[in-house]
Amino acid sequence: MPTTSRARARRPWWAAGVAVLSVVFLAPLVIMVLGSLQRPLQPPPDGLDLWPDPAEWSNYASVPAFLPLWPMVLNSLLLVVVAVPVTVVVASLAGYATATARGAARPLLIGASVVMLLVPAAALWVPRVVLLRGLGLADTPLTVALLSLAGTTPFYVLLFALACARVPGSLLEAAALEGMSPFAVWWRVALPLTRPAVVAVAALSGLFYWSTFMDPLTLVSSPAHWPVALGLRGLAEMEVALYPIYLAAAVVVTAPALLAFAVGQRSFFATAVRS
């Protein structure tokens, strides 16, 4: 009973904390939406304009005149559809191998992943360009998706290693004694039991490939192959008086990422509760 009473007493504080964090994180999105409804080629409003009067919904229709939005959106969708499943498979396999390694191999693999995670991303840009150009794989719509062949980032490998380490070893050993191959144990036993990690990595990698612009900037030179995040970054250089159109494009680009995050978050918590 005392534990239940303390839990009930904490609920108002928990709700207040969630409300404060929601305001902090939602405020930029609200400002972006309101800014997208301002009238272009006009001086900025004095003070805080809670709702533009009149609201210029035509800004959204004007975006394709400044940016080939929909071809770039298709490029980004293709990138996400290809890269996310490959990332999940590669990272989960590497994480499973790390978690089930024996002897000194396990800490060695974890240490190697941590070291690679500490390498600055900027240090890899030039080697990637040289390698992919040498292989003839640069400047294609799926060039950036090649990063998924390495699990995208060692962080995802470590996340899966932690998730697989929580799977009972006796269960994995029993599956192996039943004659299942290591690949079958990963696919039929470890992967279903690490569904929260699968959902989390899928959501995080999807957001990464949808929003990244530095990797396409260094690897993709043809504008016809640019993802939408790189195109939006170029649109940010337009005149300040046209920023409502830029913000309208930002809203269009941000909306699918928010929807994917909401779906992934709901699936993650639902899976966590079931497990």
Side-chain angles (χ1 to χ4, degrees):
M1 292 296 294
T3 304
T4 305
S5 300
R6 285 196 297 267
R8 290 178 179 177
R10 291 174 183 172
R11 287 179 182 175
W13 295 101
W14 175 261
V18 171
V20 171
L21 290 176
S22 299
V23 171
V24 171
F25 285 102
L26 290 177
L29 297 176
V30 173
I31 294 174
M32 180 175 63
V33 173
L34 294 179
S36 69
L37 299 177
Q38 296 286 346
R39 181 177 299 179
L41 302 176
Q42 297 292 323
D46 295 332
L48 181 62
D49 191 0
L50 295 179
W51 183 260
D53 187 20
E56 293 291 336
W57 296 99
S58 60
N59 290 338
Y60 290 87
S62 301
V63 171
F66 296 85
L67 179 75
L69 181 64
W70 302 119
M72 289 183 174
V73 168
L74 291 177
N75 289 339
S76 293
L77 287 175
L78 178 63
L79 184 62
V80 170
V81 168
V82 173
V84 170
V86 176
T87 296
V88 172
V89 170
V90 173
S92 61
L93 278 171
Y96 173 73
T98 300
T100 56
R102 299 182 180 275
R106 183 175 180 179
L108 183 62
L109 291 173
I110 294 176
S113 298
V114 172
V115 170
M116 288 187 290
L117 186 61
L118 296 176
V119 175
L124 303 176
W125 291 340
V126 174
R128 284 173 180 171
V129 172
V130 174
L131 176 63
L132 293 178
R133 286 183 178 177
L135 296 175
L137 298 175
D139 197 20
T140 71
L142 293 177
T143 295
V144 180
L146 295 174
L147 303 179
S148 63
L149 296 175
T152 301
T153 171
F155 172 72
Y156 298 156
V157 177
L158 293 172
L159 185 62
F160 271 113
L162 177 62
C164 291
R166 295 181 176 180
V167 177
S170 59
L171 186 61
L172 301 178
E173 293 176 1
L177 291 176
E178 290 292 329
M180 298 175 63
S181 65
F183 181 84
V185 174
W186 161 78
W187 177 255
R188 299 177 61 181
V189 180
L191 201 60
L193 293 177
T194 57
R195 283 179 292 180
V198 172
V199 175
V201 170
L204 291 173
S205 59
L207 291 174
F208 168 78
Y209 283 104
W210 181 266
S211 61
T212 182
F213 69 90
M214 285 305 304
D215 291 306
L217 183 63
T218 57
L219 299 175
V220 182
S221 58
S222 175
H225 299 156
W226 282 358
V228 69
L230 182 55
L232 185 63
R233 177 63 182 84
L235 199 63
E237 300 177 0
M238 65 181 359
E239 297 180 6
V240 177
L242 294 175
Y243 255 41
I245 296 177
Y246 163 67
L247 293 176
V251 171
V252 173
V253 174
T254 305
L258 290 177
L259 179 61
F261 177 77
V263 173
Q265 184 187 49
R266 181 177 180 181
S267 300
F268 175 82
F269 283 111
T271 305
V273 170
R274 287 196 300 269
S275 60

